[in-house]
Amino acid sequence: MASTIYSFNISGVDGYVVEVETDLIHGLPSVSIVGLGDAAVKEAKERLVSAITAAGYDFPLFKLVINLAPSDMKKRGTHFDLAMAIGILTRTDQINVTQDCLKLFGFIGELSLNSEIRPSSGVLPMVIKAKSEGIRHLIVPKENVQEALLVEGINIYSANDLQEVVDLLEGNRSLQSEKKSRQSQQTTSNINLDFSDVKGHEQLLKYITVAAAGNHNLLLSGPPGCGKSMIAKRIPSILPKMTESEALEVTKIYSVANLLKNKGNLIVDRPFRSPHHSISQHALIGGSQHATPGEVSLSHNGVLFLDEIAEFNRKTLDSLRQPLEDREVTITRVSNTNTYPSNFMLVAAMNPCPCGYHGTDKCRCTDYEIHRYRQKLSGPILDRIDIQKHVTSVNFFEENYSKISSSQIREKVENAREFQQKRYKSYLNIISNADLPPALIKRYCELDCENEQLIKEAYNRFRYSARTLHRFLKVARTFADLDSSDNIRRIDLVNSLMSRDIDKEQRDFLVV
């Protein structure tokens, strides 16, 4: 009995390399696929018999055992088909390929009954993992080529059917890797959304600029029709463009979630996700049977907008605590455990009371109704929102409002972000002030004696939490960065202490 032949494949969602071991054992003709595969993996034996026969080869009439190693890790999907077929053909000596050659190759693709290779989802993380494991050549379906080519440093080959793969391995086909096409970017932003459409709110736009510049979380509270949602939907238009590494991270998440509209296109615009308030906790954080990414991960490097946040289920909102703090989320299910990045900017909008007109003659809500309505947002969630501003209604027919475009605001934001990146260039995962851990706040948000006394007075009087103080300092640091100031000035700290209107209203506090 000949030695076992190994071929390689990569599991997309779970991100591990799988060795496909094929062996022929004396006994009645049968096919057994072991290694904790799901129903799609088990059904592969029917596709293998038909595909190998359709390609003109003989399916072995022996007891065939295919092991997907490591055997203690659950596997799912149909992209193992191609690797298993190559393993069978090699093991039965129907193709002339050495084991050393196969160790350099990876195979991704589902086989149809007529031996054609069908596309798979989650190819991008598969290719990234293959490269890290030392695989030099990867064969993928034609439809997944451009997505695979987003990863540099690994040779990508395409094939339409099983016979083309065999020809490539045996040298009967010219061994030329695919080249990246010019159309390699996926644009999702709406160019029609611009801050020049916003009338008034000059003071509020200052804080919007700070939130974008420092990647700070933002809560807008105001009556219906005052422009909360309108402003929030335009925030992506003032955020700086993603770097190549950020774009690759976002594209990888969308590939795993099978949400890439055009496979092979790199997502270059920052995500903007706006789920309905009826969303479940699993859809927001991530979950399902296979621990797939949720909205907090799909908005990674972008904006998660929760409109009418007070209408969300309180338990669902409280599940945001850990992602907001750790910038990543770990989803554990029976089948597997996955960790996804979730470094997003939370933007939320709400009414000040159930009817929405608190503070005006229109409001008929009782104090109890207002208190109960606002309690839908727990203290720990409010504590994690850096900037909380009231939005007032404007006179629609007023013509003297000064207009500022998104491009003008974005220029200020990009300058501030560049200032921060230079400051934190020696740190791996810190790209904005919001990412500063407590250990570095004292170093980069240092206050002089006068400012330190001011924040101490606020702390002693209103008993802020340590987290709130740290967020005051981060916001003040961003105000200083917008003016390219190395030090936090008094005006920066005062503006920061005025950034939490809801706290001021609850505590009857006004900074003068």
Side-chain angles (χ1 to χ4, degrees):
M1 188 165 53
S3 61
T4 303
I5 301 296
Y6 298 87
S7 56
F8 291 87
N9 193 10
I10 291 82
S11 171
V13 175
D14 305 305
Y16 51 80
V17 169
V18 173
E19 292 183 351
V20 181
E21 306 173 348
T22 310
D23 206 354
L24 302 177
I25 301 175
H26 293 295
L28 295 175
S30 64
V31 180
S32 297
I33 302 177
V34 298
L36 295 182
D38 67 353
V41 175
K42 298 295 185 183
E43 292 173 353
K45 58 186 178 183
E46 309 299 338
R47 295 191 296 270
L48 290 172
V49 173
S50 180
I52 290 176
T53 304
Y57 297 97
D58 297 325
F59 196 85
L61 299 178
F62 296 91
K63 182 178 180 180
L64 179 64
V65 178
I66 301 174
N67 179 40
L68 304 180
S71 298
D72 61 343
M73 189 176 294
K74 292 188 177 183
K75 306 163 189 72
R76 65 185 179 93
T78 58
H79 52 274
F80 300 100
D81 292 4
L82 181 57
M84 289 190 283
I86 296 300
I88 292 172
L89 295 178
T90 309
R91 180 65 181 83
T92 55
D93 297 325
Q94 296 187 67
I95 60 175
N96 184 23
V97 184
T98 65
Q99 180 173 327
D100 291 337
C101 176
L102 284 178
K103 285 185 176 181
L104 300 176
F105 275 86
F107 304 90
I108 300 173
E110 172 189 338
L111 287 176
S112 66
L113 298 182
N114 62 355
S115 82
E116 291 182 353
I117 301 177
R118 290 177 173 172
S120 302
S121 61
V123 168
L124 183 58
M126 300 184 202
V127 180
I128 294 174
K129 184 63 177 180
K131 178 185 175 182
S132 67
E133 293 291 335
I135 295 176
R136 295 172 55 186
H137 312 288
L138 197 61
I139 300 177
V140 302
K142 281 277 189 182
E143 293 84 349
N144 293 122
V145 166
Q146 293 304 318
E147 182 180 351
L149 287 173
L150 295 175
V151 182
E152 298 180 353
I154 185 170
N155 297 320
I156 304 298
Y157 306 92
S158 65
N160 291 313
D161 53 42
L162 180 59
Q163 186 59 55
E164 287 189 7
V165 177
V166 174
D167 291 340
L168 190 148
L169 293 174
E170 291 185 330
N172 299 326
R173 173 185 165 192
S174 176
L175 195 67
Q176 293 182 350
S177 59
E178 298 285 347
K179 303 297 182 184
K180 187 182 297 186
S181 66
R182 294 181 180 179
Q183 301 296 327
S184 60
Q185 295 183 343
Q186 177 174 324
T187 301
T188 59
S189 65
N190 191 337
I191 60 176
N192 296 322
L193 297 180
D194 194 281
F195 270 97
S196 59
D197 302 326
V198 179
K199 286 190 172 184
H201 300 302
E202 288 85 0
Q203 185 69 14
L204 176 62
L205 290 181
K206 179 177 71 173
Y207 284 92
I208 298 294
T209 304
V210 169
N215 202 35
H216 300 292
N217 299 324
L218 174 69
L219 173 62
L220 302 177
S221 174
C226 65
K228 304 184 299 294
S229 299
M230 182 182 185
I231 291 172
K233 291 177 181 178
R234 282 157 176 77
I235 289 179
S237 67
I238 64 175
L239 294 176
K241 292 184 178 180
M242 287 194 294
T243 63
E244 185 175 352
S245 61
E246 289 176 331
L248 195 59
E249 279 184 346
V250 174
T251 307
K252 183 168 65 171
I253 295 172
Y254 277 70
S255 177
V256 169
N258 198 22
L259 292 177
L260 282 181
K261 295 180 180 179
N262 301 310
K263 294 185 183 296
N265 288 358
L266 192 68
I267 297 177
V268 296
D269 294 322
R270 294 189 181 273
F272 181 84
R273 305 289 298 184
S274 180
H276 190 260
H277 60 74
S278 62
I279 188 172
S280 67
Q281 181 178 342
H282 289 168
L284 182 64
I285 303 301
S288 79
Q289 182 181 355
H290 303 295
T292 53
E295 293 293 335
V296 296
S297 298
L298 294 174
S299 56
H300 177 60
N301 289 330
V303 175
L304 176 62
F305 176 45
L306 303 184
D307 199 5
E308 304 297 343
I309 188 173
E311 301 300 330
F312 281 73
N313 181 276
R314 178 163 178 166
K315 185 177 179 181
T316 300
L317 286 179
D318 283 342
S319 65
L320 289 172
R321 297 184 192 180
Q322 185 262 335
L324 284 172
E325 202 69 26
D326 298 340
R327 306 292 181 175
E328 67 178 16
V329 59
T330 300
I331 310 299
T332 302
R333 294 295 180 267
V334 174
S335 57
N336 48 25
T337 298
N338 294 327
T339 298
Y340 301 108
S342 58
N343 189 4
F344 58 91
M345 175 183 173
L346 175 64
V347 178
M350 64 177 291
N351 294 325
C353 66
C355 75
Y357 295 101
H358 177 66
T360 68
D361 295 337
K362 293 183 179 180
C363 183
R364 295 294 182 267
C365 300
T366 65
D367 291 342
Y368 173 74
E369 289 174 335
I370 296 174
H371 177 71
R372 184 178 179 183
Y373 180 78
R374 295 186 181 184
Q375 272 196 326
K376 293 183 179 181
L377 269 71
S378 65
I381 288 295
L382 282 175
D383 207 34
R384 288 167 168 82
I385 300 180
D386 308 47
I387 300 175
Q388 307 165 14
K389 298 298 293 182
H390 282 310
V391 185
T392 57
S393 299
V394 297
N395 185 349
F396 186 79
F397 296 100
E398 175 67 45
E399 299 294 338
N400 296 326
Y401 291 129
S402 59
K403 292 186 178 181
I404 181 170
S405 66
S406 292
S407 59
Q408 293 173 297
I409 302 177
R410 185 171 60 247
E411 183 178 358
K412 297 179 182 178
V413 171
E414 289 177 342
N415 291 336
R417 284 286 183 101
E418 185 179 353
F419 202 67
Q420 295 168 46
Q421 289 170 3
K422 290 180 180 178
R423 182 191 303 127
Y424 308 131
K425 62 181 179 181
S426 57
Y427 302 98
L428 183 60
N429 295 320
I430 301 179
I431 58 175
S432 64
N433 291 329
D435 300 327
L436 271 178
L440 296 178
I441 289 178
K442 186 175 182 180
R443 177 178 178 181
Y444 293 107
C445 301
E446 187 177 4
L447 301 177
D448 58 26
C449 295
E450 186 180 1
N451 287 336
E452 188 173 352
Q453 182 61 33
L454 175 62
I455 201 168
K456 279 183 179 180
E457 291 177 3
Y459 174 78
N460 293 330
R461 180 176 180 182
F462 302 104
R463 298 181 181 179
Y464 289 125
S465 68
R467 180 189 291 115
T468 302
L469 285 182
H470 284 167
R471 293 183 183 273
F472 277 138
L473 293 174
K474 292 178 185 179
V475 173
R477 177 69 270 173
T478 304
F479 270 107
D481 291 342
L482 284 170
D483 290 336
S484 300
S485 174
D486 293 326
N487 300 317
I488 296 178
R489 303 159 299 180
R490 182 175 179 82
I491 185 61
D492 300 325
L493 185 59
V494 170
N495 285 331
S496 176
L497 292 173
M498 294 178 66
S499 65
R500 300 170 76 98
D501 288 348
I502 294 179
D503 275 353
K504 287 194 299 181
E505 187 176 63
Q506 292 175 347
R507 303 169 188 271
D508 194 25
F509 170 54
L510 178 63
V511 178
V512 181

